[in-house]
Every structure is written in structure tokens, then in C-alpha cells.
Amino acid sequence: MEKIRIILAGPRGKMGMEALNLIYQTEHFELQAAIDRKNGGKLISSIEGLPPIDAPIYEDAEQCFKEIDADVLLDLTTPEVGRIHTELALKYNIRPVVGTTGFNEQELKELAKEAEEKGIGVIIAPNFAIGAVLMMKFAQMAAKYFPDVEIIEQHHDQKLDAPSGTAIKTAELISRVRQEKQQGHPNEKETLQGARGAIFNGMRIHSVRLPGLVAHQEVLFGGNGQILTIRHDSLHRSSFMSGVKLAIEKVMNLNVLVYGLENIIE
Ligand SMILES: NC(=O)C1=CN([C@@H]2O[C@H](COP(=O)(O)OP(=O)(O)OC[C@H]3O[C@@H](n4cnc5c(N)ncnc54)[C@H](O)[C@@H]3O)[C@@H](O)[C@H]2O)C=CC1
Ligand SMILES: O=C(O)C1=N[C@H](C(=O)O)C[C@H](O)C1
């Protein structure tokens, strides 16, 4: 199998470290370089706790894309940085695989247009865990029969974006099949602002942030005398790695932007 040459952005992050191990252990993956906020000019192998890969670290993303021959950028950074890296990678004809969350609809549209014009594959996956992708698909199935739905997502307290990318994606998938309706009592009033959560097309999204949590989501459907709960828990970040591997492999044969792993799993 031909090697897939990868640039990883965010190698010292929680996801980045997990991804480095995946790349190190996958025979047909090769780390060409990493983009980090510090350690520019050093090798990944020289950083304590990182695998023994002799790939250079760049602090300047554009310089990295200019100097390094790579097939794929894997971005696991922060919402703002992820957006910049994705655009830059496209400029240098490197296929972005983006786990970083926080892209809005307009940004996704613009990136999709750019990818299509250039004929370059992009995968933006709000959640790489196969179980989470199934949870979203099952929720979409259920919403056809249960239009009253609320989403509760729970994450570790270091998360920068709220609601989570997964919660937004779930609400989007549900919106495609759910008859729009106003939920709750028509005269409902919040006596404490935010008590009822965020609203996405009439659906409520509640975000919990606590130390000890990793990534969890419940989709609650209410009907006559019954409640259906669909729940997924990522207990460790290794849960995301089979999806990351699949996305890196699949993006090689794409020439458009794909948003969500559900569009590439068979
Ligand atoms: N799609 C998915 O399945 C998953 C997505 N995520 C998302 O991935 C992103 C990273 O998550 P974590 O690893 O938990 O966060 P983290 O905070 O542990 O790691 C982020 C890393 O990005 C680095 N970084 C920040 N600015 C940078 C820059 N300019 N250049 C290079 N690196 C930079 C930081 O130094 C840090 O090491 C978040 O947006 C999170 O929501 C997290 C888990 C799963
Ligand atoms: O920040 C995280 O941790 C996660 N972010 C993604 C999201 O926003 O949905 C995926 C997963 O939930 C973990």
C-alpha cells in the first residue's frame, strides 16, 4: 500500500498525542511534519512523551505547507486555528482532515466551494468515534417519529466551544427529517437566562462541562407516555482513532468536502 504522507497540527494536545501514536503504529502512514505553537525547529522525537518519529516541528503553518511534501493535513487544534490551517492547506493542495470543531455553516459552505473548485478532498468530522456517528444516525431515525427532542452533551472542562460540534451536527441531521415545531409550553419563560439551553431549529441543546468527563451525549425524545434516550460515551480518546484512520484513508480519493463521518462509513 502506498504511504500516506501526513502533517499533524496540534501534536501535544490530547487528541494530537493519540493521533501521533496512531500514525506511528500505522504502516502506511508517515508523519512528514507537525505544526505546533512551540518547539519550532525541533523533531517530534526530541519532545518528551511523544513517539520516536524524526519529523520536524514548524510554528509557521504556511512555511510548513510550502516546504513539506504531504498528502494530508490532520488538524486537531482549536476552532480559530483549525479554520486558518484548513484554508492554508487547501491553498497548498494538501487534503485537510479536520477534527477540530467550531466551524459555522457559512465557513463550511465557503470551504466546500473552495474544495470543489480545486478538486481537493476535505473531511471535517465533528466526531470520529463510530459509536457517536451511529448515535447521531439513530437519533435522526427516531426524530421522524418523535419530533420533541432535546440534546444534552457533556464534556471535560477544558473544551473551548459550546455547544459541541457533535451536538450541532446531531441537531442538523434531525432537522432534515423532523417536522419543525415549537417545543414546551407556548408561554414558557426563563426566570434565569439560559435555563432552557441553546436553540437550534426549535430544538434545545444543553452543554455540561465538568472535570472527569471526556465526551458524552444523550438525545432525549419525548412522546405520549414514553421517553426514548439514545446515548453515547467516549470514555477515552482512543475511541476517536479508528475514525481518524478511516478519514485519512478516504480523503485520498475524494475531490469534494465531506462534513461528517456518516457520509463515508459503509
Ligand atoms: N472530531 C472529533 O472526534 C474530536 C474533536 N475534538 C476537537 O479537536 C480539537 C482538539 O481537542 P483536544 O486535543 O482535546 O484539545 P487540546 O487543547 O488538548 O489540544 C489542542 C492543541 O492545539 C494546539 N494549538 C493551539 N494553537 C495552535 C497553533 N496555532 N498551531 C499548532 N497547534 C496549536 C495546542 O497547543 C494544543 O496542544 C478541539 O477542537 C476538539 O473539540 C476533540 C476530540 C474528538
Ligand atoms: O472537545 C472534545 O473533547 C470533543 N469535541 C468534539 C465535539 O465538539 O463534538 C467531539 C467529541 O465530542 C470530543
Short mmCIF file of all heavy atoms in Angstrom, two decimals, residues 208-236:
data_model
loop_
_atom_site.label_atom_id
_atom_site.label_comp_id
_atom_site.label_asym_id
_atom_site.label_seq_id
_atom_site.Cartn_x
_atom_site.Cartn_y
_atom_site.Cartn_z
N VAL A 208 -22.92 20.59 29.26
CA VAL A 208 -22.38 20.39 30.61
C VAL A 208 -20.86 20.34 30.49
O VAL A 208 -20.33 19.69 29.58
CB VAL A 208 -22.90 19.05 31.20
CG1 VAL A 208 -22.32 18.80 32.60
CG2 VAL A 208 -24.42 19.02 31.24
N ARG A 209 -20.13 21.03 31.37
CA ARG A 209 -18.66 20.98 31.38
C ARG A 209 -18.18 20.66 32.78
O ARG A 209 -18.42 21.46 33.71
CB ARG A 209 -18.07 22.34 30.94
CG ARG A 209 -18.45 22.76 29.53
CD ARG A 209 -17.74 21.92 28.47
NE ARG A 209 -18.14 22.28 27.13
CZ ARG A 209 -19.08 21.64 26.42
NH1 ARG A 209 -19.72 20.61 26.93
NH2 ARG A 209 -19.37 22.01 25.20
N LEU A 210 -17.51 19.53 32.94
CA LEU A 210 -17.01 19.14 34.26
C LEU A 210 -15.70 18.39 34.15
O LEU A 210 -15.51 17.61 33.18
CB LEU A 210 -18.03 18.18 34.92
CG LEU A 210 -19.31 18.77 35.53
CD1 LEU A 210 -20.23 17.64 35.98
CD2 LEU A 210 -18.98 19.68 36.70
N PRO A 211 -14.78 18.57 35.12
CA PRO A 211 -13.60 17.71 35.12
C PRO A 211 -14.07 16.27 35.32
O PRO A 211 -15.10 16.03 35.95
CB PRO A 211 -12.80 18.21 36.32
CG PRO A 211 -13.73 19.03 37.13
CD PRO A 211 -14.82 19.52 36.23
N GLY A 212 -13.34 15.35 34.75
CA GLY A 212 -13.72 13.93 34.89
C GLY A 212 -14.45 13.41 33.67
O GLY A 212 -14.38 12.23 33.36
N LEU A 213 -15.15 14.32 32.97
CA LEU A 213 -15.86 13.88 31.77
C LEU A 213 -14.89 13.81 30.59
O LEU A 213 -13.86 14.51 30.58
CB LEU A 213 -16.98 14.86 31.43
CG LEU A 213 -18.18 14.92 32.39
CD1 LEU A 213 -19.06 16.12 32.08
CD2 LEU A 213 -19.00 13.63 32.31
N VAL A 214 -15.21 13.01 29.58
CA VAL A 214 -14.45 13.02 28.32
C VAL A 214 -15.39 13.62 27.27
O VAL A 214 -15.40 14.83 27.05
CB VAL A 214 -13.94 11.61 27.94
CG1 VAL A 214 -13.17 11.67 26.61
CG2 VAL A 214 -13.02 11.08 29.04
N ALA A 215 -16.24 12.79 26.64
CA ALA A 215 -17.20 13.30 25.64
C ALA A 215 -18.42 12.38 25.65
O ALA A 215 -18.30 11.18 25.38
CB ALA A 215 -16.57 13.32 24.26
N HIS A 216 -19.58 12.96 25.95
CA HIS A 216 -20.79 12.17 26.16
C HIS A 216 -21.97 12.93 25.57
O HIS A 216 -22.01 14.16 25.61
CB HIS A 216 -21.05 11.94 27.65
CG HIS A 216 -19.79 11.63 28.42
ND1 HIS A 216 -19.44 10.36 28.80
CD2 HIS A 216 -18.78 12.44 28.82
CE1 HIS A 216 -18.26 10.41 29.43
NE2 HIS A 216 -17.86 11.66 29.46
N GLN A 217 -22.94 12.20 25.06
CA GLN A 217 -24.15 12.89 24.58
C GLN A 217 -25.38 12.00 24.73
O GLN A 217 -25.33 10.80 24.45
CB GLN A 217 -23.99 13.29 23.11
CG GLN A 217 -25.22 14.05 22.60
CD GLN A 217 -24.99 14.71 21.26
OE1 GLN A 217 -24.21 15.64 21.16
NE2 GLN A 217 -25.68 14.24 20.23
N GLU A 218 -26.45 12.64 25.16
CA GLU A 218 -27.76 11.97 25.22
C GLU A 218 -28.72 12.73 24.33
O GLU A 218 -28.76 13.96 24.38
CB GLU A 218 -28.32 12.04 26.64
CG GLU A 218 -27.91 10.90 27.52
CD GLU A 218 -28.61 10.98 28.88
OE1 GLU A 218 -29.52 11.82 29.06
OE2 GLU A 218 -28.23 10.20 29.74
N VAL A 219 -29.47 12.00 23.53
CA VAL A 219 -30.54 12.63 22.77
C VAL A 219 -31.84 12.07 23.34
O VAL A 219 -32.05 10.85 23.34
CB VAL A 219 -30.43 12.32 21.25
CG1 VAL A 219 -31.41 13.16 20.46
CG2 VAL A 219 -29.01 12.57 20.76
N LEU A 220 -32.65 12.97 23.90
CA LEU A 220 -33.88 12.55 24.58
C LEU A 220 -35.10 12.86 23.71
O LEU A 220 -35.27 14.01 23.28
CB LEU A 220 -34.05 13.31 25.89
CG LEU A 220 -33.39 12.74 27.14
CD1 LEU A 220 -31.90 12.99 27.10
CD2 LEU A 220 -33.97 13.41 28.37
N PHE A 221 -35.89 11.85 23.45
CA PHE A 221 -37.12 12.04 22.69
C PHE A 221 -38.30 11.79 23.62
O PHE A 221 -38.33 10.79 24.34
CB PHE A 221 -37.20 11.04 21.54
CG PHE A 221 -36.10 11.23 20.51
CD1 PHE A 221 -34.91 10.52 20.61
CD2 PHE A 221 -36.27 12.11 19.46
CE1 PHE A 221 -33.90 10.70 19.67
CE2 PHE A 221 -35.26 12.30 18.52
CZ PHE A 221 -34.09 11.59 18.63
N GLY A 222 -39.28 12.70 23.59
CA GLY A 222 -40.46 12.52 24.44
C GLY A 222 -41.69 12.28 23.59
O GLY A 222 -41.89 12.92 22.56
N GLY A 223 -42.49 11.33 24.01
CA GLY A 223 -43.75 11.05 23.30
C GLY A 223 -44.84 10.78 24.32
O GLY A 223 -44.62 10.92 25.53
N ASN A 224 -45.99 10.35 23.85
CA ASN A 224 -47.10 10.06 24.75
C ASN A 224 -46.75 8.93 25.70
O ASN A 224 -46.64 7.78 25.29
CB ASN A 224 -48.33 9.64 23.92
CG ASN A 224 -49.23 10.84 23.69
OD1 ASN A 224 -49.12 11.84 24.41
ND2 ASN A 224 -50.09 10.75 22.69
N GLY A 225 -46.55 9.25 26.96
CA GLY A 225 -46.29 8.21 27.97
C GLY A 225 -44.98 7.47 27.77
O GLY A 225 -44.79 6.39 28.31
N GLN A 226 -44.06 8.04 26.99
CA GLN A 226 -42.78 7.35 26.79
C GLN A 226 -41.63 8.31 26.50
O GLN A 226 -41.82 9.42 25.99
CB GLN A 226 -42.89 6.33 25.64
CG GLN A 226 -43.35 6.93 24.32
CD GLN A 226 -43.51 5.87 23.24
OE1 GLN A 226 -42.74 4.93 23.14
NE2 GLN A 226 -44.54 6.05 22.41
N ILE A 227 -40.45 7.86 26.87
CA ILE A 227 -39.21 8.60 26.61
C ILE A 227 -38.24 7.64 25.94
O ILE A 227 -38.07 6.51 26.40
CB ILE A 227 -38.56 9.09 27.94
CG1 ILE A 227 -39.44 10.13 28.65
CG2 ILE A 227 -37.16 9.65 27.70
CD1 ILE A 227 -39.43 11.52 28.05
N LEU A 228 -37.64 8.10 24.86
CA LEU A 228 -36.57 7.31 24.23
C LEU A 228 -35.27 8.07 24.43
O LEU A 228 -35.17 9.25 24.09
CB LEU A 228 -36.86 7.13 22.74
CG LEU A 228 -35.74 6.54 21.89
CD1 LEU A 228 -35.43 5.09 22.28
CD2 LEU A 228 -36.08 6.61 20.40
N THR A 229 -34.26 7.39 24.98
CA THR A 229 -32.95 8.03 25.18
C THR A 229 -31.90 7.30 24.35
O THR A 229 -31.77 6.08 24.44
CB THR A 229 -32.53 7.97 26.66
OG1 THR A 229 -33.57 8.55 27.45
CG2 THR A 229 -31.25 8.74 26.91
N ILE A 230 -31.18 8.07 23.54
CA ILE A 230 -30.07 7.49 22.77
C ILE A 230 -28.80 8.14 23.30
O ILE A 230 -28.69 9.36 23.32
CB ILE A 230 -30.25 7.76 21.26
CG1 ILE A 230 -31.58 7.15 20.79
CG2 ILE A 230 -29.08 7.17 20.46
CD1 ILE A 230 -31.95 7.46 19.37
N ARG A 231 -27.87 7.31 23.77
CA ARG A 231 -26.70 7.85 24.47
C ARG A 231 -25.39 7.27 23.94
O ARG A 231 -25.34 6.08 23.60
CB ARG A 231 -26.82 7.55 25.98
CG ARG A 231 -25.67 8.09 26.76
CD ARG A 231 -25.74 7.82 28.25
NE ARG A 231 -24.49 8.27 28.84
CZ ARG A 231 -24.35 9.33 29.63
NH1 ARG A 231 -25.38 10.04 29.97
NH2 ARG A 231 -23.16 9.66 30.10
N HIS A 232 -24.40 8.11 23.86
CA HIS A 232 -23.05 7.63 23.53
C HIS A 232 -22.04 8.23 24.50
O HIS A 232 -22.16 9.39 24.88
CB HIS A 232 -22.67 8.00 22.09
CG HIS A 232 -21.27 7.59 21.76
ND1 HIS A 232 -20.20 8.43 21.82
CD2 HIS A 232 -20.77 6.37 21.43
CE1 HIS A 232 -19.09 7.77 21.51
NE2 HIS A 232 -19.41 6.51 21.26
N ASP A 233 -21.06 7.42 24.89
CA ASP A 233 -19.99 7.88 25.77
C ASP A 233 -18.64 7.56 25.16
O ASP A 233 -18.37 6.39 24.85
CB ASP A 233 -20.07 7.15 27.13
CG ASP A 233 -21.35 7.46 27.87
OD1 ASP A 233 -21.38 8.45 28.60
OD2 ASP A 233 -22.33 6.70 27.69
N SER A 234 -17.82 8.56 24.99
CA SER A 234 -16.40 8.32 24.70
C SER A 234 -15.71 8.36 26.05
O SER A 234 -15.68 9.40 26.72
CB SER A 234 -15.83 9.41 23.78
OG SER A 234 -15.97 9.04 22.44
N LEU A 235 -15.14 7.23 26.46
CA LEU A 235 -14.53 7.13 27.79
C LEU A 235 -13.03 7.40 27.72
O LEU A 235 -12.38 7.64 28.73
CB LEU A 235 -14.79 5.73 28.36
CG LEU A 235 -16.28 5.35 28.43
CD1 LEU A 235 -16.45 3.89 28.82
CD2 LEU A 235 -17.04 6.25 29.39
N HIS A 236 -12.51 7.33 26.48
CA HIS A 236 -11.07 7.56 26.26
C HIS A 236 -10.91 8.08 24.84
O HIS A 236 -11.70 7.74 23.95
CB HIS A 236 -10.32 6.23 26.43
CG HIS A 236 -8.83 6.41 26.46
ND1 HIS A 236 -8.06 6.38 25.32
CD2 HIS A 236 -7.98 6.63 27.49
CE1 HIS A 236 -6.80 6.59 25.65
NE2 HIS A 236 -6.72 6.74 26.95
#
